[in-house]
């Protein structure tokens, strides 16, 4: 299966519809499968006293509150509808991350195919339950989380999917039921993530994808906040089913995420490198590939005469050797030939 590539526009539209539509075009032109935005209302996501993260203070007005920053970056309902319509025209799937239950419901009402929940919602039980109750597939980012917190989040999603009464005890109890894991395997993909912008490559910890795959038996992917494309490509080589990567029209623009995002040309490069990596991974069967079959007789060796050999002489370790081409007896027959009698004359380099 091909890796699902999510081009994360996020809030890199800066509150501008024109930029948002241009970001859809960039994602489509790059060959991404999905273009993703973020759906929230500042009043529902952050209190007016909430401070910004350190990286946000570096890339935006440090004196501005988180609430004020988010208010500037909201997508109105009319903007959202225009963006979705444009994505449909460009034949690229639209996706948006909800940060509150109202935004989640609004996305569901507009017919999105799946939901993506950010790492900050890993412990947001009401939103997790609401996501499960939507019945839609969920991509769940797990940045900042422990394995135990991921398990707890899966319990909340399962309670939603199974329409069970939500409660902390229910979140744990439901995970003991086989039907739970059947639906989680069908519906949920866990995205490993390092919640820092940009994330240091040494903190990427890609092996955690395998840890989660082994622990829960679910599909895993990677939401990449590192600079460049290397870590995303490495994640594909380690079996990521989904790659999510921020992109922007201009990485030097002011705003919380621009500096950690790929520019259009780099996004196209990432898509191309992921597709090449997928082709390179192959089917896992160890056998000659079509492209190398013609070189077998050239590169391999055969048993040949090392010295002139007369009919009736015995083959010895001194009068036979192995040389290219590989079109004669395999060197694995060497030990069977030693001591046998030559049935004809041989000159040096004759195939035995």
């Amino acid at each position: 299966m091909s890796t699902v590539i999510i081009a994360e526009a996020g809030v890199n539209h800066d509150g501008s519809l024109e930029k948002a539509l241009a970001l859809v075009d960039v994602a489509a032109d790059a060959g991404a499968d999905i273009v993703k935005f973020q759906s929230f209302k500042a009043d529902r996501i952050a209190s007016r006293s909430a401070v910004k993260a350190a990286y946000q203070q570096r890339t935006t007005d440090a004196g501005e509150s988180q609430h004020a920053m988010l208010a500037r970056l909201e997508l109105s309902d009319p903007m959202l509808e225009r963006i979705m319509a444009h994505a449909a025209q460009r034949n690229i799937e639209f996706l948006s991350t909800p940060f509150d239950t109202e935004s989640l419901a609004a996305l569901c009402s507009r017919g999105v195919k799946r939901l993506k929940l950010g790492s900050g919602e890993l412990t947001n039980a009401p939103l997790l339950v609401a996501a499960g109750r939507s019945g839609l597939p969920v991509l769940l980012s797990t940045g900042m989380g422990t394995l135990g917190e991921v398990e707890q989040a899966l319990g909340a999603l399962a309670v939603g999917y199974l329409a069970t009464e939500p409660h902390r005890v229910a979140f744990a109890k439901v995970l003991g039921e086989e039907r739970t894991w059947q639906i989680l395997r069908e519906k949920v993909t866990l995205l490993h993530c390092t919640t820092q912008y940009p994330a240091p490559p040494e903190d990427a910890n890609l092996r955690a994808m395998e840890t989660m795959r082994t622990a829960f038996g679910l599909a895993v992917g990677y939401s990449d906040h590192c600079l460049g494309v290397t870590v995303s490509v490495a994640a594909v080589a380690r079996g990521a089913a989904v790659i999510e990567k921020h992109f922007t029209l201009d990485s030097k623009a002011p705003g919380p995420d621009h500096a950690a995002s790929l520019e259009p040309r780099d996004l196209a490069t990432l898509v191309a490198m992921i597709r090449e990596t997928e082709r390179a991974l192959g089917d896992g069967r160890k056998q000659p590939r079509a492209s190398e079959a013609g070189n077998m007789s050239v590169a391999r060796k055969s048993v040949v005469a090392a010295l002139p050999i007369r009919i009736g002489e015995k083959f010895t370790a001194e009068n036979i050797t192995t040389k290219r081409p590989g079109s004669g007896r395999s060197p694995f027959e060497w030990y069977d030939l030693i001591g046998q009698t030559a049935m004809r004359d041989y000159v040096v380099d004759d195939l035995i």
Side-chain angles (χ1 to χ4, degrees):
M1 290 179 60
S2 294
T3 306
V4 176
I5 302 175
I6 302 174
E8 164 72 279
V11 296
N12 284 340
H13 50 76
D14 301 322
S16 163
L17 176 60
E18 289 71 22
K19 286 185 180 179
L21 298 178
L23 287 164
V24 172
D25 288 332
V26 168
D29 291 342
D33 299 295
I34 298 172
V35 61
K36 189 177 84 64
F37 291 83
Q38 295 179 7
S39 294
F40 56 83
K41 298 299 180 186
D43 287 341
R44 294 198 291 258
I45 191 175
S47 69
R48 293 181 184 273
S49 61
V51 298
K52 290 189 286 191
Y55 78 90
Q56 294 172 334
Q57 293 181 30
R58 290 193 301 270
T59 54
T60 62
D61 180 2
E64 179 186 48
S65 69
Q66 184 182 161
H67 182 280
M69 178 190 71
L70 292 169
R72 290 191 292 103
L73 300 173
E74 289 181 7
L75 289 174
S76 67
D77 289 345
M79 290 172 67
L80 190 64
E81 290 172 0
R82 285 284 306 278
I83 295 167
M84 293 183 71
H86 190 57
Q89 290 173 354
R90 291 304 315 270
N91 198 31
I92 185 170
E93 182 181 336
F94 170 88
L95 185 62
S96 190
T97 297
F99 289 81
D100 55 79
T101 54
E102 292 86 348
S103 295
L104 187 152
L107 288 170
C108 293
S109 70
R110 287 179 167 83
V112 294
K113 295 180 179 179
R114 65 189 98 195
L115 296 171
K116 159 68 197 299
L117 298 183
S119 294
E121 313 312 315
L122 186 66
T123 58
N124 188 351
L127 189 62
L128 291 163
V129 172
R133 286 189 171 164
S134 75
L136 293 173
V138 170
L139 302 164
L140 177 63
S141 275
T142 61
M144 306 175 289
T146 65
L147 203 62
E149 287 173 330
V150 175
E151 183 177 52
Q152 191 174 40
L154 290 173
L157 282 171
V159 162
Y161 281 126
L162 297 171
T164 303
E165 185 67 25
H167 187 274
R168 183 184 288 270
V169 174
F171 298 154
K173 183 178 180 181
V174 75
L175 293 175
E177 302 177 19
E178 177 54 31
R179 63 173 183 156
T180 294
W181 293 103
Q182 289 177 351
I183 196 164
L184 290 177
R185 284 190 291 269
E186 293 172 4
K187 298 284 190 178
V188 179
T189 299
L190 296 172
L191 301 186
H192 175 55
C193 177
T194 303
T195 306
Q196 178 58 288
Y197 301 82
E202 59 269 23
D203 286 348
N205 192 23
L206 293 180
R207 289 189 175 96
M209 290 194 303
E210 183 60 32
T211 298
M212 291 195 296
R213 184 190 293 115
T214 300
F216 304 118
L218 307 182
V220 297
Y222 182 57
S223 180
D224 184 14
H225 295 156
C226 298
L227 295 176
V229 301
T230 304
V231 181
S232 282
V233 174
V236 172
R238 294 196 67 87
V242 177
I243 290 292
E244 179 181 72
K245 185 73 173 178
H246 281 264
F247 76 106
T248 179
L249 301 176
D250 180 4
S251 62
K252 295 181 177 60
D257 296 339
H258 290 293
S261 301
L262 297 178
E263 291 194 340
R265 180 179 298 179
D266 297 321
L267 178 64
T269 296
L270 173 63
V271 174
M273 291 181 71
I274 287 175
R275 298 308 180 214
E276 184 175 3
T277 300
E278 290 171 339
R279 293 192 295 272
L281 286 171
D283 58 17
R285 291 178 292 178
K286 182 55 185 167
Q287 60 185 21
R289 308 304 293 184
S291 63
E292 65 180 339
N295 294 323
M296 292 174 69
S297 64
V298 176
R300 290 184 172 181
K301 294 178 179 177
S302 302
V303 180
V304 302
L307 300 170
I309 302 171
R310 302 298 298 271
I311 186 171
E313 285 188 53
K314 292 186 181 298
F315 296 123
T316 68
E318 288 72 33
N319 65 13
I320 61 174
T321 188
T322 61
K323 290 185 181 182
R324 293 174 177 174
S327 54
R329 288 177 179 264
S330 166
F332 265 93
E333 296 186 48
W334 167 280
Y335 302 98
D336 298 328
L337 286 168
I338 297 296
Q340 289 190 28
T341 301
M343 303 303 292
R344 67 174 180 85
D345 293 338
Y346 294 90
V347 299
V348 174
D349 285 349
D350 271 355
L351 295 172
I352 301 300

